[in-house]
C-alpha cells in the first residue's frame, strides 16, 4: 500500500479551496433521546484565514450545518491527488450558511474503504455467535459495513479467532446472513461514551469483526447500508 505523503493542514485546505474539492463531514446526531448516531454531509472551503481558521459553506444537506454546530466538533475527510486524509475540526463559529473553525494541527491518512452506518434502535441489526461458555448468544450491533461490524458487550465470550457468525439485517422484510469472520479488535471502554450501549454502569468491551461474506450477501449488506444512509440523511433534512 502506498503511504500518503505528509502535508501541512493549511496547505491541504488551500489546495481544496483552489481545486473546489469537497470535504465529507461526519458528526454526532441524536436520532432519538439518548441514542446517538453518526450523520454525514458534504461542504466546500470558501475561505482560508492564514494557518489558523477556515470558513466552510455550501453544505449538503443544508441542515447538517445546524447538526455540526450543536455537536461542537466534527470529523472531515477529503481527497488530495488520489489520497484520502482525515482530521477533527473544532472551535466552531456558526452562521446561517457557513461555519468558521480552526485549521487542525494535524491531518492523518484515512484508510477505511467501506461506508459504515449505525442501525436504528427501532430496527436493529443483530449478531449471533456460537460461544464455548454460553452457547449461542446475540447482540445488537453498534455499526456495520460490507466487511465489518462493531458491537459492545460487558464480557468477552470464549470464541475462536476464526468463526462463522450470523447476522440479521432488517432489509427486504428481514434477511439472515451467515459469514466467516475474524476478530479485528476488542478493547475496554466506558459505557455510554459516544453511543448508547444498552448496558449499565462500569466498563464495557468494544469489539469488532472483519467479515468475509459471499458476494450475494455482501450486496444485501450494501443495500442495507445505502438505505440506512438515506434514512439518516432524511433525518438531517427534517431537523428543525
Amino acid at each position: 500500500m502506498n503511504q500518503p505523503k505528509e502535508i501541512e493542514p493549511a496547505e491541504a485546505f488551500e489546495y481544496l479551496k483552489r481545486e473546489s474539492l469537497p470535504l465529507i463531514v461526519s458528526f454526532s446526531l441524536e436520532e432519538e433521546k439518548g441514542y446517538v448516531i453518526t450523520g454525514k454531509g458534504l461542504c466546500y472551503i470558501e475561505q482560508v484565514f492564514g494557518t489558523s481558521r477556515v470558513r466552510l459553506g455550501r453544505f449538503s444537506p443544508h441542515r447538517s450545518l445546524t447538526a455540526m454546530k450543536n455537536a461542537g466538533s466534527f470529523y472531515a475527510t477529503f481527497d488530495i491527488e488520489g489520497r484520502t486524509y482525515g482530521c477533527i475540526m473544532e472551535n466552531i463559529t456558526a452562521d446561517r450558511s457557513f461555519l468558521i473553525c480552526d485549521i487542525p494541527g494535524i491531518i492523518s491518512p484515512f484508510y477505511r474503504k467501506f461506508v459504515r452506518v449505525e442501525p436504528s434502535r427501532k430496527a436493529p441489526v443483530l449478531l449471533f455467535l456460537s460461544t464455548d461458555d454460553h452457547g449461542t448468544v446475540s447482540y445488537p450491533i453498534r455499526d456495520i459495513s460490507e466487511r465489518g461490524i462493531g458491537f459492545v458487550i460487558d464480557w468477552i465470550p470464549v470464541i475462536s479467532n476464526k468463526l462463522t457468525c450470523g447476522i440479521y439485517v432488517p432489509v427486504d422484510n428481514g434477511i439472515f446472513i451467515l459469514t466467516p469472520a475474524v476478530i479485528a479488535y476488542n478493547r475496554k471502554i466506558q459505557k455510554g461514551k459516544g453511543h448508547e450501549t444498552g448496558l449499565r454502569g462500569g466498563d464495557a468491551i468494544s469489539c469488532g469483526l472483519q467479515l468475509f461474506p459471499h458476494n450475494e450477501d455482501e450486496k444485501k449488506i450494501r443495500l442495507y447500508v445505502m438505505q440506512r444512509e438515506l434514512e439518516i440523511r432524511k433525518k438531517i433534512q427534517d431537523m428543525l
Side-chain angles (χ1 to χ4, degrees):
M1 179 184 297
N2 292 329
Q3 294 292 327
K5 65 180 181 180
E6 293 185 5
I7 184 171
E8 291 297 321
E11 179 186 350
F13 285 109
E14 285 284 5
Y15 177 88
L16 294 171
K17 178 181 181 297
R18 184 171 63 250
E19 300 296 327
S20 297
L21 296 175
L23 288 82
I24 306 299
V25 293
S26 303
F27 47 89
S28 296
L29 177 69
E30 190 174 46
E31 185 176 32
E32 298 179 32
K33 184 174 177 58
Y35 187 67
V36 178
I37 60 173
T38 301
K40 294 180 182 178
L42 180 148
C43 66
Y44 291 82
I45 295 175
E46 295 185 336
Q47 191 170 354
V48 179
F49 304 98
T51 60
S52 59
R53 302 273 278 172
V54 62
R55 187 173 77 186
L56 307 176
R58 295 160 59 191
F59 288 88
S60 177
H62 181 72
R63 296 288 186 182
S64 59
L65 186 155
T66 301
M68 282 185 282
K69 178 182 68 174
N70 293 338
S73 65
F74 58 92
Y75 191 77
T77 60
F78 46 87
D79 288 344
I80 294 180
E81 297 179 348
R83 298 178 174 91
T84 304
Y85 300 87
C87 60
I88 298 174
M89 308 293 291
E90 298 177 303
N91 194 15
I92 297 171
T93 302
D95 198 273
R96 290 184 178 182
S97 60
F98 63 84
L99 295 177
I100 296 178
C101 46
D102 287 350
I103 294 176
I106 187 171
I107 59 177
S108 304
F110 185 82
Y111 295 113
R112 181 171 289 175
K113 295 181 179 180
F114 300 101
V115 175
R116 188 174 293 258
V117 296
E118 292 100 345
S120 165
R121 182 160 60 180
K122 294 179 179 178
V125 175
L126 300 176
L127 167 68
F128 294 82
L129 292 174
S130 177
T131 69
D132 294 342
D133 43 357
H134 291 279
T136 301
V137 294
S138 66
Y139 308 101
I141 70 150
R142 183 185 59 197
D143 52 57
I144 182 170
S145 73
E146 296 168 39
R147 292 296 183 89
I149 55 175
F151 56 104
V152 176
I153 56 179
D154 55 3
W155 57 283
I156 299 179
V158 180
I159 54 178
S160 60
N161 187 52
K162 294 184 178 180
L163 62 139
T164 297
C165 64
I167 305 172
Y168 171 79
V169 184
V171 67
D172 289 342
N173 296 317
I175 58 174
F176 192 81
I177 293 171
L178 289 174
T179 174
V182 297
I183 299 172
Y185 64 84
N186 62 73
R187 55 178 176 263
K188 185 178 291 187
I189 62 171
Q190 185 177 350
K191 295 176 187 176
K193 289 294 184 181
H195 298 272
E196 179 187 274
T197 66
L199 306 173
R200 298 180 180 178
D203 292 326
I205 307 299
S206 175
C207 301
L209 297 180
Q210 184 178 0
L211 308 179
F212 303 92
H214 185 281
N215 288 341
E216 293 302 314
D217 291 331
E218 187 171 347
K219 291 177 184 178
K220 295 171 186 175
I221 299 175
R222 186 183 307 131
L223 174 63
Y224 168 76
V225 170
M226 292 171 61
Q227 290 182 353
R228 178 62 176 152
E229 276 217 306
L230 289 174
E231 188 177 79
I232 295 172
R233 185 179 180 88
K234 186 177 186 303
K235 176 74 175 181
I236 298 170
Q237 291 171 330
D238 292 343
M239 290 177 60
L240 296 178

